[in-house]
Amino acid sequence: QVDLVESGGGLVQAGGSLRLSCAASGRLFSINRMGWYRQAPGKQRELVADITSGGMTNYVDSVKGRFTISRDNAKNTVYLQMNSLKPEDTAIYSCYVNVGMVTSRNYWGQGTQVTVSS
């Protein structure tokens, strides 16, 4: 069993910053990719950013240059630093971790609300 605890969401004005954290615990014998998805009302869920165990990152085009994903392998934690926030970034952000070696699966956090006011 793997548990993920997210923190850092909230309400911020456009142009502001937030930092999301997601700490994983449990049977974490091999954490592969970690990342963040988001889902806004009436829209499909989209991958915001992810990061491999080796530190390679991937971002959706709309957040490039504004968001930074990082991870602390010693703490089994992934972070999402969000700068220059826009109202269109408003969504529920959920973290995930991919765990396993021969076979792997994703585990999900409960989600945290990010609201950006104009």
Side-chain angles (χ1 to χ4, degrees):
Q1 180 65 32
V2 173
D3 294 314
L4 302 179
V5 178
E6 299 160 344
S7 60
L11 173 64
V12 65
Q13 288 188 332
S17 298
L18 286 173
R19 188 190 193 211
L20 304 183
S21 299
C22 175
S25 61
R27 296 176 60 85
L28 300 169
F29 47 89
S30 179
I31 299 180
N32 304 312
R33 194 175 294 264
M34 307 177 79
W36 295 89
Y37 277 79
R38 68 184 179 186
Q39 187 164 22
K43 294 187 177 181
Q44 287 190 329
R45 187 178 66 175
E46 68 172 350
L47 176 64
V48 178
D50 60 15
I51 183 169
T52 68
S53 57
M56 292 184 64
T57 59
N58 173 57
Y59 297 93
V60 66
D61 285 346
S62 60
V63 308
K64 287 180 179 178
R66 300 188 297 121
F67 291 10
T68 302
I69 190 170
S70 60
R71 62 190 280 175
D72 184 332
N73 291 328
K75 296 181 179 180
N76 297 321
T77 299
V78 61
Y79 305 95
L80 187 66
Q81 178 66 44
M82 305 184 293
N83 298 330
S84 302
L85 282 160
K86 304 176 181 180
E88 51 264 43
D89 294 318
T90 295
I92 295 175
Y93 286 69
S94 301
C95 69
Y96 82 94
V97 297
N98 180 264
V99 178
M101 296 181 70
V102 176
T103 60
S104 65
R105 61 164 289 183
N106 291 338
Y107 295 88
W108 294 88
Q110 78 282 2
T112 186
Q113 178 70 47
V114 171
T115 303
V116 184
S117 62
S118 57

